[in-house]
Amino acid sequence: MTDTMRAVVLDAPGSPEALEIRDLPVPTPEPGWVLIRIKAFGLNRSELHTRLGLAEGVTFPRVLGIEATGVVAACPGGEFVPGQQVVTMMGGMGRQFDGGYAEYTCVPADQVIPFNSELDWATLGAVPEMLQTAHGSLTVGLDGQAGHSILIRGGTSSVGMATAILAKQRGMTVFSTTRDPARAASLTGIGVDHVIIDDGDVATQVRAIASSGVDTALELVGTPTLPDTLRSVRVHGVVCFTGMLSNEWLVRDFYPIGYLPQGVRLTAYGGEAGDLPAAVLQDYLDAAAAGDVVVPLDRAYAFDEIVEAHRALEHGHGSGKLVVTV
C-alpha cells in the first residue's frame, strides 16, 4: 500500500468543476476505525446538496461521499479481517470527516457492513445507501406488510426502484410515479403493478384504482408534491418523507389541520448504516447474483470522470443509480 491516494476534494461550494482530483495522504486508522480500499462509490443527492452549499455541518476542504464499497485494508481493532468485502455509509462521511470520493476512506467500525459477492464492483457500488434508504423507509418509516399497497413518488430514482423491488418481495401492491412516460417500461420491468404518470395530480389517478387510497406512500420528490401524496393515502394510512429530489424540504407556514388530510399519518426516515442488517444486504446481493432482483444501476463512471458524473447528478439522468469505479 502506498502512502498517498487520489481523492476528489471540494474546497468550497460550487459547480461540478469545483471538484478537483488531488493526491492526499492515506488515512491512518486508530483502534475502532477501519481503513477501506475503495473499489466503487455511488453518487447521492446528499453530495449534490453539499457541493451546492445546502448541507449543514460541513467544513471545507472536504472529500465528499456518504458511502463506499471496497475491501478492508487495515483494522487495528480486529473487528474485520483485511481483504474482507465491506460497505460503509453515513455517520458523518463526506461532511464531518472525509468520505468515499477517494481510493481509501477511514470510518468507524460500527458503520461498516461485511458481505461476500462475486458481482462486479460497479454493481456492488450502487447498492449500500440505496438499499439502506429503501429498506429503512419500507420497514422503519412505513412498516410495510404483505397485502399492503404502496405509492412510490419518484419511482424511477434509484431508491424508488429499490423500494419497489423490496416491496414486491414482501407481497405488496406497488404504485410508482414517473414524469416521463418513456420511463414507464423501466418500472414495469421490476414488477411495479401500476405506473402513474405524474401530472401533478397523482391522488386522482391513484384513487381511480384504489378508491379509498393506498395503505402507504413513500415521498422521494420533496415538499412540492407532498400534499398530493398525502391525498393519495387512505384514512389511517402512512406517508414516509424520505427524499428531496426537488431540493425542497421545508413546508412554509405549516398549518397541520389544513395541511394533513384527516386521519393520514406522516412520518420520516433518514437512516444510518445500523439500519441495514448485514443479512438484508447479503440476501439482496445473493438475489441479484441469481437474477432474482435487479440492481438499478444507470451508469458507471471512471474516477477521472467525477465532474461529468456530477453534471449528470445535478441535471437528471436515466433510471437508477450513478456509480464511480475506483
Side-chain angles (χ1 to χ4, degrees), residues 240-263:
C240 179
F241 188 94
T242 293
M244 298 167 284
L245 295 169
S246 63
N247 290 338
E248 295 185 43
W249 52 87
L250 295 178
V251 178
R252 301 188 183 279
D253 302 319
F254 179 60
Y255 174 51
I257 292 177
Y259 190 90
L260 297 171
Q262 185 165 283

Side-chain angles (χ1 to χ4, degrees), residues 4-11 15-25 41 43 51 61-64 100-104 301-310 324-326:
T4 62
M5 66 176 185
R6 294 200 304 164
V8 179
V9 181
L10 181 68
D11 289 320
S15 68
E17 288 71 22
L19 298 170
E20 296 185 2
I21 297 177
R22 299 178 190 162
D23 289 333
L24 296 180
F41 57 85
L43 301 186
R51 202 203 77 218
R62 178 62 63 219
V63 176
L64 301 187
Y101 284 23
E103 293 179 324
Y104 291 87
Y301 292 85
F303 193 78
D304 292 332
E305 296 177 309
I306 187 63
V307 171
E308 181 184 350
H310 253 253
V324 173
T325 55
V326 183

Side-chain angles (χ1 to χ4, degrees), residues 94-237:
R95 291 188 174 187
Q96 282 76 50
F97 58 91
D98 285 343
Y101 284 23
E103 293 179 324
Y104 291 87
T105 190
C106 192
V107 300
D110 61 5
Q111 67 181 69
V112 177
I113 307 171
F115 69 91
N116 290 288
S117 179
E118 294 184 0
L119 292 169
D120 63 272
W121 285 111
T123 300
L124 293 169
V127 172
E129 178 63 11
M130 176 181 67
L131 183 61
Q132 178 265 123
T133 305
H135 174 76
S137 297
L138 196 57
T139 57
V140 177
L142 293 172
D143 190 26
Q145 301 293 327
H148 280 181
S149 54
I150 180 172
L151 168 66
I152 303 172
R153 192 74 178 254
T156 55
S157 66
S158 60
V159 173
M161 297 182 78
T163 303
I165 292 168
L166 295 181
K168 291 304 297 180
Q169 288 181 322
R170 285 175 171 259
M172 300 177 72
T173 299
V174 178
F175 295 65
S176 195
T177 74
T178 177
R179 292 178 297 174
D180 183 357
R183 295 186 181 180
S186 65
L187 296 176
T188 56
I190 59 171
V192 169
D193 299 285
H194 304 286
V195 176
I196 306 295
I197 304 303
D198 191 344
D199 60 0
D201 185 9
V202 164
T204 297
Q205 298 183 65
V206 167
R207 288 179 177 272
I209 301 168
S211 59
S212 297
V214 291
D215 300 301
T216 63
L218 178 60
E219 180 58 74
L220 296 174
V221 176
T223 56
T225 57
L226 181 57
D228 184 43
T229 299
L230 286 162
R231 291 192 296 270
S232 303
V233 177
R234 65 167 174 81
V235 173
H236 298 160

Side-chain angles (χ1 to χ4, degrees), residues 50 54-60 62 92 94-97:
T50 301
L54 302 175
E56 296 181 355
V58 182
T59 55
F60 297 98
R62 178 62 63 219
R95 291 188 174 187
Q96 282 76 50
F97 58 91

